[in-house]
Amino acid sequence: IVSNMLAKSTRIAKPAPQLPINHEDIDKTEARLLKGPTSEAWKKVGVKHHYGICVPLFGLKTEQSRGIGEFLDLLPLADFCESIKMDVIQMLPLNDINTDNSPFSPISCFALNPMFLSMEKLPHADQATEEMKKLMADLQGLNSALRVDWVSVREKKEKWMREYLKLQTVKTSVLTSQEYSSFKESNKYWLPSYSLFYTLKRKNNLAGWVDWPETKELDLAAKDGKLSSIQETKQYQALTKEYAEAMEFYQFQQYCCDLQLSAAKKYAESKGVWLKGDVPFLCSGDSADVWVHRDLFQQGYSAGAPPDMYSKDGQDWGLPLYNWSAMDLDNFTWWKQRLQVASKYYTLYRIDHIVGFYRVWAVPKGKKASEGGYQPQDKALWIPQGERILRIMLDASKMLPIGEDLGSIPKEVYLNLQKLGICGTRVLRWERMWENKEQGQPFIPVADYIPDSMSTVSTHDSETLPLWWLLKQDEAKAYCQHRRWSYRVQDLKGQPPKEYQYHLENQNQKIVGKTMPVPYLQDILREANTSSSLFHIHLLSEYLALVPPTTDEEGLIHWDPNLERVNIPGTVQSSNWSYRMRPSISTINQHQVLKDLMLKSRESVQADISPLPERKPHVYERQYSTQLPTKLRVLPGRSYPLGATWDGAGVNFAVFSENGYKAYLCLFETPESKTESHRILMPEYDDFVHHCYLPDLRPGQLYGYRIEGDWDPLNGLRFNSNKVLLDPYAKSIGRDLQWHDSLFPYNIQSPSPHKYLEMNTEDNSSFCPLAAVVDNSFTWGNDHPPNVPWHRTVIYEAHVKALSFQHPDVPEHIRGTYAGLCHESIIAHLKKLGVTAIELEPIHHHVDEKPILDKGLVNHWGYNTLSFFAPDLRYCATRSVLGAVHEFKTMVRVLHSHGIEVILDVVYNHTAEGNHYGAMFNLKGCDNLAYYKTPEGDPAYYFDYTGCGNSLNVRHPRVLQLIMDSLRYWIQEMHVDGFRFDLASALARQFHDVDKLSAFFDIIHQDPVISRVKLIAEPWDCSSGGYQVGNFPVLWTEWNGRYRDSIRGFWNGKGVSLGEFATRVTGSSDLYTAESGRSALSSINFVTCHDGFNLLDLVSYNEKHNDDNGENNNDGANDNHSYNHGCEGSTDDSGINEFRWRQRANFVATLFLSLGVPMILSGDELSKTQNGNNNTYCQDNEITWLDWDLYDDEDEFLQFTSKMIKLRKSHAVLNRRRHLKGEVNGVKDVTWYMPEGHEPSYDDWHNTTKQALGFVMDGDAIVDLSHTGQVHKGETILVLVNAQFFDVNFKLPAHHSGKHWQLLISTDRALKNQCGTSVFQPSSSFTLKDHSISIFHLYAPINQSRANLFRSVNLRKSQDSV
């Protein structure tokens, strides 16, 4: 539909680029806006700063008011604005409304509200009858009310108008006038249908039109006649004739409204004041518009909002959506007519919910708001659709629109509005850098607001500024901190008048008689009024608050600040839409103090307030060293700790080199420096450590080392002082490397096969990576590790960049960064999913290998470490030297605050320096023989257990120290909660074979810091004897590769037996034996990980498809235990897709039903595909980035995954800390069943053709104790598994409790509606679909519970009789 619309518009090309307008001067702004589609409107009002007030018309009051504000009250209000040099009066919608009184769900989007008529000003009103005079007196009596009494006003005004219409002079002179006839003719598009609608609504006792018998008759006639609208039917024409007299009343009311509002506009413009209207985006379903033009609306959907931080379940506003395709066929006549009518009354107008023209959250009728989705679904259509519709609206009238663009708005929408010249809205107290949590989410300077916007301090849906100050003290105090004020509250003087006494009982009674200090209020208004926005419009009530009640003066605001509020969104209460200003308009017109204060609020002079004492925060004046002194003081320093250590007065440098002669500290002034500005011989050498101390240096200083020693590669010595080396203990990378021949220690251009023996004397200082001195200070607050026990842990393996890079709710500038990962939208996803720990792929700063870069790719995974201490700069939003450390710490702190642990994937088995043909970055040049493992007798080469060129020499104490210091640094300084050791078997090769008694394990076991965090091994490497699943010592958990392969093979038909399946599901006790001190919790169970197929590809591909990697599909594993289910890759075949959905659900269900620690791969829950690539190490693109735009099936899979995690967490039988015992107190902890109901035989266990099994895990057979010593009791669950290609009938087992079985969850979506409702008796038959799992729990039916109760009562009666 939208594509057809786009084809008709030749004006839409590409989305507009972002305009650099934040600081343009007024002349440039004017030139830009006068070239756009809103140019005529801008020419009329002028491209200049406009100031105004916003007030609901019903809230105005004059001495002649009738309990409600009226159209002609705008005349004295225009006088008031002229006197204080304001040129805009903004109102809420003035359309006729339903009985809920909300102006945003009008009964007609065209008709005005007749309750706003100034009746005494109507023609011939002086001839009022006695009845009319009495009604007028009654209405006058409502003028003293604190709120609008809509019921009374509506009743009495309508009676008056009906009496007025009966006046003979009105009938003869008004109803017969040419003006009245012209009005009806010019409004024939909407006026007759509106008046007939209102007539029938009254006839049917205000019932909704869907229940009218007339509606049913009209619908039937339209259907029989195949007509698109009920207006085309003969029955409709008959109704207009039948009710012509009744309709005349409503048409006449609209004529009167038109006279008065047009007069108000004309008068206001004569005073230099523009009226600004409000056009609601939607209209009520029970409205004349929807009744008549049903083809223009989607009756099966209502508008709303998705689940977000404001509403976890989403919002359903109950208002129908537009049918844009039908409107397009009608040339958007309805919208054009609507705006043309509005343009008679307004010069400017507010477009409510302007983002709705681009995309709207559509909630299907009868569904929850969370089950809705955006229309259009394709994000690529949002901007073209919105731009085309808005351009049509701009062409329809000469009014200047100002959009309400608050809330979660795609950035592209903001840019498009700028392109169209449509102002947005900036609410000062909400304009903050919300993503910048580490700096307290600072307020955006008002000077940075874009010019084409409207600044305000509140909206009609929010608290007024004083009410916000009193109720939202945390936000108010944050603003005080921004302005360097001390927060305080001002008490009103004297006693509240009697009419306020009853309000002292309301829920906010503590704030009655209080307000915010007037100087603060005045200064906030002044700040908003001096912003770069062209429009500055505030609620009138906020200006009135500048004059609060005192003992000497009554004041201009209510004693109860709650009475100043217009509406509380999401609530239905009589106080909504009933605001009335306390003073009359004549009072404020004569109030010179108020006028002076309002005029001063536009001056730039600071208000007289009490600022906080000036503080000088501890900040550094530079990120990098600038010009260093020619001579620096060099002191001996210390040999420990290694690396660069800032102590508050200077920096200590210490670098290990056992075989090097001399070490030079090289200082660089900027990242662009071609060579060092200072080369300092490090004077001290203790314990093979060169060290010195420089008191003249500060954090941010860039540095490296040069080490002198022998160049003798045949003996393993590769010292080359032509190379500046990165500190092995670098805490921050101040400059990344640039690939160049000088980075290699040998002559890379030599044609000799032994070129690695020839020294390269070219200096590398222009291209080498540099370290930066860091300041470790950080405000951790009350941060503490969540310490989630292993049996409650759910691990989520993720990549920092891929996780958030395409998330629409993460601000674009922090996507793919540490800050993006801890954004509230990502955390909300993790918490909703049930994750307790996020395992991050490597975040140590890594090197992109040159061969990969030459192919136009990068090392996306990052398993090529450059520094074991420095967080990768690639994932830092600011990319600053000191920013990465701070941002990473902030990420950890935020995740911890939500109970989520951080586990790092660490690569200590090799480095980025490669083999003897590799580059030299740090360790090779510091001491090659000490750091790397070389073959005995042939040290020119390297042991390579990883396939990456080298292996660290974990036999050397300094290498072990490097690893342990790194681990402790990440725990103690960066607060991480654990580590996953990549190719951990390589670290256990003390000599050559893997040795679980190696020094590496010994040191970790005795270390009081490292031994207390989560330790996860990838228990294999790439050399012989490296596969060590089940062989790591106590304290270690392992990625259970046997589990992955067996579970994949079982479900994908690879001949895995029931015995093997059962062993993996119950904790792999054959691998992790109790005798070795291990349990099921030693097993990290997983089906997919970053390496290999992800879950969707596992069920969609038989073969790998790695051509994008540029290695002719030769990389990556060939045996994936995968199955494509009938088609290689994606398909439109619904049967195959359903099969794949079920298989993925089977994998997820199996994972979370298994004893051990579950781990899922990021993106699997979102149905992410990698297009068959099972080795995406070099794919930093859409292949690996998560796609958050989900279709229905994908969203359902996400919900299923979340349900399985919740099921696991809520059932103690799935959270055991010990292996199964077999039987506890006469109850089996697990009982296995074949479909026929008997326990499996030996043949059943080992016959690979049998693939159906049931098992009961009994909640009465748990031996685990809680921390208080209580025995864990849990629910008993029954699991039925069928991996065969046909349905299986299971005989449901009996339980010793005598209870029945209730279906909880099934991977068979045909049973979705039965889950949680269907109950089955023991021994009954249950048909389990092929390749599915169904899970049950014990359930006592109501009749059984009653029978047990009756039996116990009868027993007591019989005992009493005995």
Side-chain angles (χ1 to χ4, degrees), residues 578-639:
S578 61
Y579 162 80
R580 296 199 77 200
M581 58 190 290
R582 185 182 185 190
S584 66
I585 299 177
S586 60
T587 298
I588 63 174
N589 253 322
Q590 299 168 17
H591 206 295
Q592 194 58 45
V593 172
L594 172 66
K595 290 182 176 182
D596 290 342
L597 289 171
M598 292 180 72
L599 286 168
K600 288 181 180 178
S601 71
R602 301 204 293 274
E603 298 174 357
S604 59
V605 181
Q606 288 290 314
D608 183 18
I609 60 175
S610 302
L612 291 172
E614 184 65 27
R615 297 177 182 174
K616 294 183 178 180
H618 182 63
V619 296
Y620 301 109
E621 295 182 357
R622 59 176 185 252
Q623 282 265 332
Y624 304 107
S625 299
T626 54
Q627 186 68 41
L628 292 170
T630 303
K631 293 184 178 180
L632 293 171
R633 293 173 292 168
V634 180
L635 305 178
R638 306 179 305 279
S639 61

Side-chain angles (χ1 to χ4, degrees), residues 868 908-909 911 923 931-933 950-954 959 963:
F868 296 120
Y908 294 113
N909 50 68
T911 73
L923 304 185
Y931 279 113
Y932 291 112
K933 194 169 187 177
N950 61 53
S951 298
L952 283 179
N953 182 15
V954 291
V959 178
I963 296 174

Side-chain angles (χ1 to χ4, degrees), residues 26 29-30 32-50 274 347-348 394 398-402 417-418 420-424 451-454 533-535:
I26 194 71
T29 300
E30 182 177 28
R32 176 171 55 80
L33 292 176
L34 294 183
K35 292 179 182 178
T38 53
S39 59
E40 292 303 314
W42 278 109
K43 287 177 183 177
K44 182 171 184 177
V45 301
V47 182
K48 61 180 183 179
H49 286 280
H50 298 271
W274 309 112
T347 306
L348 307 94
L394 294 176
K398 300 306 179 185
M399 295 185 292
L400 180 66
I402 297 178
L417 293 176
Q418 293 175 35
L420 297 174
I422 298 176
C423 291
D452 30 353
S453 65
M454 183 196 82
S533 302
L534 289 177
F535 287 92

Side-chain angles (χ1 to χ4, degrees), residues 484-551:
R484 304 200 61 76
W485 298 345
S486 58
Y487 176 84
R488 55 192 178 89
V489 173
Q490 179 176 330
D491 290 317
L492 301 182
K493 298 180 180 180
Q495 296 296 320
K498 292 181 179 180
E499 63 265 28
Y500 291 94
Q501 294 300 322
Y502 75 96
H503 284 285
L504 295 177
E505 302 301 322
N506 67 28
Q507 60 180 346
N508 296 321
Q509 58 179 316
K510 293 182 179 179
I511 65 173
V512 174
K514 299 180 183 298
T515 188
M516 67 182 299
V518 171
Y520 287 21
L521 172 61
Q522 187 175 9
D523 209 58
I524 293 175
L525 290 169
R526 178 183 291 111
E527 183 175 25
N529 285 335
T530 55
S531 74
S532 296
S533 302
L534 289 177
F535 287 92
H536 314 267
I537 302 175
H538 309 293
L539 293 174
L540 175 59
S541 61
E542 280 162 338
Y543 281 118
L544 300 182
L546 292 170
V547 186
T550 66
T551 53

Side-chain angles (χ1 to χ4, degrees), residues 37-182:
T38 53
S39 59
E40 292 303 314
W42 278 109
K43 287 177 183 177
K44 182 171 184 177
V45 301
V47 182
K48 61 180 183 179
H49 286 280
H50 298 271
Y51 301 89
I53 56 175
C54 175
V55 62
L57 183 57
F58 54 75
L60 293 179
K61 181 165 59 175
T62 66
E63 283 73 11
Q64 294 76 37
S65 291
R66 311 302 175 190
I68 193 170
E70 298 172 345
F71 291 127
L72 297 185
D73 291 343
L74 293 170
L75 277 61
L77 188 63
D79 292 334
F80 174 74
C81 289
E82 181 195 27
S83 68
I84 54 175
K85 301 178 182 178
M86 286 189 170
D87 60 356
V88 179
I89 297 175
Q90 176 179 328
M91 297 166 286
L92 299 190
L94 301 182
N95 300 105
D96 201 356
I97 58 176
N98 275 295
T99 54
D100 65 357
N101 305 328
S102 171
F104 289 94
S105 58
I107 200 169
S108 168
C109 291
F110 294 83
L112 295 171
N113 192 338
M115 298 303 103
F116 298 143
L117 281 170
S118 301
M119 298 179 299
E120 74 280 4
K121 301 296 183 182
L122 291 174
H124 311 295
D126 56 347
Q127 300 178 22
T129 65
E130 291 302 317
E131 176 65 18
M132 293 169 65
K133 292 178 181 178
K134 182 179 184 304
L135 289 169
M136 192 72 78
D138 291 342
L139 285 166
Q140 183 68 41
L142 297 175
N143 213 26
S144 60
L146 297 177
R147 310 295 279 184
V148 175
D149 184 349
W150 281 99
V151 174
S152 297
V153 169
R154 186 178 287 113
E155 176 190 358
K156 298 181 187 303
K157 279 205 169 188
E158 182 171 331
K159 285 183 179 179
W160 192 96
M161 285 298 298
R162 289 189 181 277
E163 291 297 317
Y164 172 68
L165 193 57
K166 294 177 183 178
L167 294 176
Q168 189 61 33
T169 51
V170 173
K171 290 181 179 180
T172 57
S173 63
V174 181
L175 291 183
T176 59
S177 67
Q178 181 61 41
E179 292 82 0
Y180 181 48
S181 297
S182 298

Side-chain angles (χ1 to χ4, degrees), residues 725-844:
L725 305 172
L726 182 72
D727 187 350
Y729 279 70
K731 306 296 194 305
S732 177
I733 303 301
R735 182 181 78 182
D736 210 348
L737 66 89
Q738 300 178 55
W739 278 106
H740 188 265
D741 288 354
S742 63
L743 295 177
F744 293 84
Y746 63 93
N747 186 358
I748 192 173
Q749 299 297 339
S750 172
S752 170
H754 303 293
K755 58 185 177 183
Y756 59 89
L757 302 176
E758 304 174 17
M759 176 185 276
N760 180 358
T761 59
E762 185 177 6
D763 193 277
N764 75 340
S765 57
S766 296
F767 310 99
C768 63
L770 298 175
V773 178
V774 302
D775 179 1
N776 284 328
S777 60
F778 181 77
T779 304
W780 283 104
N782 63 348
D783 178 74
H784 59 276
N787 284 329
V788 180
W790 274 120
H791 67 285
R792 303 291 296 175
T793 296
V794 176
I795 300 174
Y796 185 82
E797 189 194 19
H799 187 282
V800 171
K801 180 174 182 179
L803 181 58
S804 68
F805 193 71
Q806 294 193 119
H807 198 296
D809 295 333
V810 175
E812 188 171 351
H813 68 284
I814 64 169
R815 292 178 187 172
T817 67
Y818 305 120
L821 191 145
C822 66
H823 186 265
E824 56 195 12
S825 57
I826 299 297
I827 289 178
H829 175 73
L830 297 177
K831 294 178 73 175
K832 179 181 179 182
L833 198 58
V835 168
T836 69
I838 185 166
E839 181 180 304
L840 299 178
E841 290 177 53
I843 55 85
H844 290 170

